[in-house]
Amino acid sequence: MFVKVELKDIKAVYFVGAGGIGMSAIARYFLNKGIVVAGYDKTKTPLTIQLEKEGMLVHYEENVDDIPQACKSKDSCLVIYTPAIPSEHKELAYFRENNFEIEKRAQVLGTLTRTHKGLCVAGTHGKTTTSTMCAHIMHQSHIDCNAFLGGISKNYSTNYILSDSDYVVIEADEFDRSFHWLRPWASVITSTDPDHLDIYGTKEAYLESFRHYSTLIQPGGALVIRKGLEMKDEIQDGVARYEYSRDEGDFHAENVIIDNGEITFDFISPIENVKGVRLGQPIPINIENGVAAMAMAQLAGCTANELRSGMETYKGVDRRFDFKIKTGSLVFLSDYAHHPQEIYQSAKSIRELYRDKKITALFQPHLYTRTRDFYKDFARSLSLLDEVVLCDIYPAREQPIPGVSSRLIYDNLEPQVKKEMISKEQVLDYVNNHDFEVLVVLGAGDLDNYVPDIEKVLRSKIKD
């Protein structure tokens, strides 16, 4: 089922859970349409404050009386909610009891993929960077695009792009099977390492979800899938299928040069090879992400020069390999990685960039269920680093699970790894009392809120 009301007939939109990164992108879409946009969120954040500045009416108390009058007409107001909101939420209950049209964020994005050519990026990890890369390449090309992204693009200081283009770039989220609402014209699938087992239950159900997603790509379009994934895709007649990876596949990189903080390579493609691609964000994992992004942009009609220019001017995504300090004596960065395979790729890239330096990670596990299911995998990935400092689990939507804590990861780290466990409240003192060569904050929880203060402490200690 897609949105029943035509988007052009909507006069107001209300968001239950307004401050999520994906929800805010859709809020900005409707703000740009000039209609009333309002919503609730539990916590005031820099993102909700910015949305208020852009014209959104946001409140932070769960109270039906705070819903603006313009959003109380069921004939002209669309209600959009995030699955993270509990079903007993008072405002959500009000809208249900009064028969408003209530849709998930993904359903609204699905409607957009019926009215535009959807370029969607799915996968356990890599999808935010790849979709943001693709959106930047497209936006600066002669084709242009709209975009709904899962992170803040550093090129545009937003997670949303609006244009008159026929194309829309969408990060396809597998959580709660949200990506099943989409109808892509073309899609990349970056990875299918099992995750969200609190939703899916088993690895097999998770992989089946991606198989079903692959059936939704529209005839005339294309699937660009990373070579070697465990999933079995199933595409419709008339859908082209391509494989990609860093080193092999229909789309891949050759002549990779990593030197003096720069990365260049040749993009090999069945359509047209592009020589001398330079990464604007020179991180090894972005070679493969870039191959996927360029593949989809090229399929949409971007030229070789546009691909080259887009990759060179791409600045990255907030909290994705986000460098805060780069000096000869100290490197400090923040990375959203919160799945064992993401952490493995992050650690591998950092090690590739800084082969001879001591690398320390401050890691906050995200979710009790994810820690319970993957603590050994977390430990293996983190053991690529020299030092690991573990904080308590960030619960997000979950209640504690007996016996599940960061200690499970701590106890399974390799013997050569120097390790410690501290609370969030101890982080700044820890940083102040220790010396670092490369320090990375890892995780999708609220430890990132400490990053600005960590940066201040580190800068006060820099001698060169």
Side-chain angles (χ1 to χ4, degrees):
M1 180 182 73
F2 288 95
V3 176
K4 297 183 285 296
V5 173
E6 292 289 333
L7 294 183
K8 62 182 175 61
D9 296 331
I10 293 170
K11 294 185 174 63
V13 182
Y14 192 84
F15 290 81
V16 187
I21 196 72
M23 294 281 274
S24 63
I26 298 181
R28 284 171 162 145
Y29 173 84
F30 286 110
L31 281 168
N32 274 279
K33 296 292 184 186
I35 63 176
V36 175
V37 180
Y40 156 87
D41 204 86
K42 185 177 181 180
T43 308
K44 181 174 284 197
T45 65
L47 183 53
T48 61
I49 292 169
Q50 183 58 39
L51 287 169
E52 289 185 75
K53 289 178 182 176
E54 293 172 22
M56 186 175 184
L57 306 172
V58 186
H59 62 270
Y60 304 93
E61 296 292 332
E62 190 177 328
N63 189 343
V64 171
D65 292 338
D66 288 336
I67 299 171
Q69 196 61 40
C71 299
K72 289 189 173 180
S73 169
K74 67 180 181 180
D75 296 325
S76 60
C77 180
L78 172 66
V79 178
I80 304 173
Y81 76 102
T82 170
I85 293 290
S87 58
E88 65 271 15
H89 190 278
K90 292 175 185 175
E91 295 181 15
L92 192 56
Y94 164 81
F95 289 120
R96 284 185 171 137
E97 288 164 4
N98 288 279
N99 297 314
F100 278 71
E101 179 162 2
I102 305 172
E103 307 291 355
K104 293 181 181 178
R105 164 183 171 267
Q107 289 171 271
V108 179
L109 292 178
T111 296
L112 290 172
T113 59
R114 289 192 299 161
T115 57
H116 296 71
K117 285 186 174 180
L119 303 177
C120 304
V121 182
T124 314
H125 47 83
K127 56 183 176 287
T128 299
T129 297
T130 303
S131 57
T132 307
M133 273 183 175
C134 181
H136 175 61
I137 295 169
M138 294 285 293
H139 187 54
Q140 56 89 57
S141 77
H142 74 284
I143 299 170
D144 207 346
C145 70
N146 299 275
F148 295 89
L149 307 169
I152 302 297
S153 163
K154 289 191 170 184
N155 287 90
Y156 308 107
S157 299
T158 184
N159 55 335
Y160 163 75
I161 296 171
L162 177 65
S163 78
D164 295 325
S165 173
D166 290 335
Y167 289 91
V168 57
V169 178
I170 291 175
E171 179 173 329
D173 187 4
E174 79 278 10
F175 175 72
D176 199 33
R177 296 177 173 84
S178 291
F179 60 170
H180 289 176
W181 294 103
L182 304 176
R183 297 296 181 269
W185 176 78
S187 182
V188 164
I189 299 179
T190 64
S191 49
T192 54
D193 303 291
D195 196 10
H196 304 300
L197 296 187
D198 55 322
I199 301 293
Y200 287 98
T202 65
K203 178 180 83 170
E204 290 72 24
Y206 188 78
L207 295 175
E208 163 58 23
S209 186
F210 277 89
R211 183 208 63 80
H212 178 71
Y213 170 74
S214 72
T215 69
L216 304 177
I217 300 170
Q218 299 177 39
L223 169 65
V224 182
I225 186 169
R226 190 189 181 282
K227 189 175 179 65
L229 295 189
E230 190 172 356
M231 69 165 285
K232 303 297 182 187
D233 58 271
E234 183 181 339
I235 54 177
Q236 299 183 55
D237 290 341
V239 175
R241 184 185 187 277
Y242 302 95
E243 293 186 340
Y244 82 95
S245 74
R246 172 169 165 166
D247 301 314
E248 57 182 342
D250 302 298
F251 298 97
H252 65 276
E254 289 184 359
N255 301 320
V256 175
I257 299 173
I258 303 175
D259 184 52
N260 198 29
E262 292 192 349
I263 298 178
T264 59
F265 61 92
D266 295 339
F267 173 61
I268 306 304
S269 160
I271 300 169
E272 180 186 4
N273 295 344
V274 183
K275 294 188 181 247
V277 175
R278 185 181 302 275
L279 286 182
Q281 193 190 33
I283 300 161
I285 187 58
N286 278 351
I287 300 170
E288 183 165 279
N289 291 334
V291 166
M294 285 189 290
M296 196 148 63
Q298 192 179 55
L299 287 165
C302 289
T303 67
N305 284 337
E306 288 169 344
L307 295 175
R308 199 182 287 110
S309 172
M311 293 301 296
E312 186 167 357
T313 57
Y314 172 75
K315 295 179 181 177
V317 185
D318 280 354
R319 295 186 70 183
R320 266 68 171 191
F321 242 95
D322 193 354
F323 285 93
K324 303 298 183 181
I325 299 174
K326 263 187 177 183
T327 72
S329 62
L330 175 66
V331 174
F332 173 49
L333 67 154
S334 170
D335 194 5
Y336 189 74
H338 58 284
H339 182 277
Q341 188 61 25
E342 288 176 331
I343 289 173
Y344 172 81
Q345 293 293 348
S346 182
K348 184 180 173 186
S349 284
I350 295 170
R351 181 64 74 193
E352 199 167 350
L353 285 171
Y354 302 105
R355 297 182 187 280
D356 301 321
K357 292 186 179 290
K358 181 184 73 175
I359 303 170
T360 304
L362 281 166
F363 176 52
Q364 179 190 42
H366 185 266
L367 299 180
Y368 290 100
T369 52
R370 186 179 283 126
T371 304
R372 176 199 65 198
D373 295 335
F374 302 118
Y375 67 89
K376 290 183 179 179
D377 298 316
F378 277 120
R380 273 193 291 271
S381 296
L382 289 165
S383 292
L384 291 175
L385 306 176
D386 301 297
E387 296 180 341
V388 176
V389 182
L390 286 157
C391 295
D392 294 333
I393 294 169
Y394 181 75
R397 59 188 179 271
E398 295 185 338
Q399 295 300 313
I401 297 174
V404 177
S405 73
S406 298
R407 173 67 65 173
L408 290 172
I409 300 171
Y410 180 93
D411 289 342
N412 282 273
L413 289 166
E414 295 292 333
Q416 79 278 4
V417 178
K418 184 179 176 182
K419 56 188 180 180
E420 193 156 348
M421 289 183 63
I422 63 175
S423 68
K424 283 186 303 185
E425 293 72 24
Q426 295 172 301
V427 163
L428 292 180
D429 283 340
Y430 182 88
V431 172
N432 192 48
N433 294 324
H434 290 77
D435 294 322
F436 307 95
E437 292 182 342
V438 179
L439 175 64
V440 56
V441 171
L442 293 169
D446 60 358
L447 190 59
D448 189 72
N449 295 338
Y450 288 75
V451 166
D453 289 328
I454 294 172
E455 181 180 353
K456 287 178 186 175
V457 171
L458 291 173
R459 287 194 181 278
S460 72
K461 298 166 66 175
I462 294 175
K463 297 180 176 61
D464 60 347

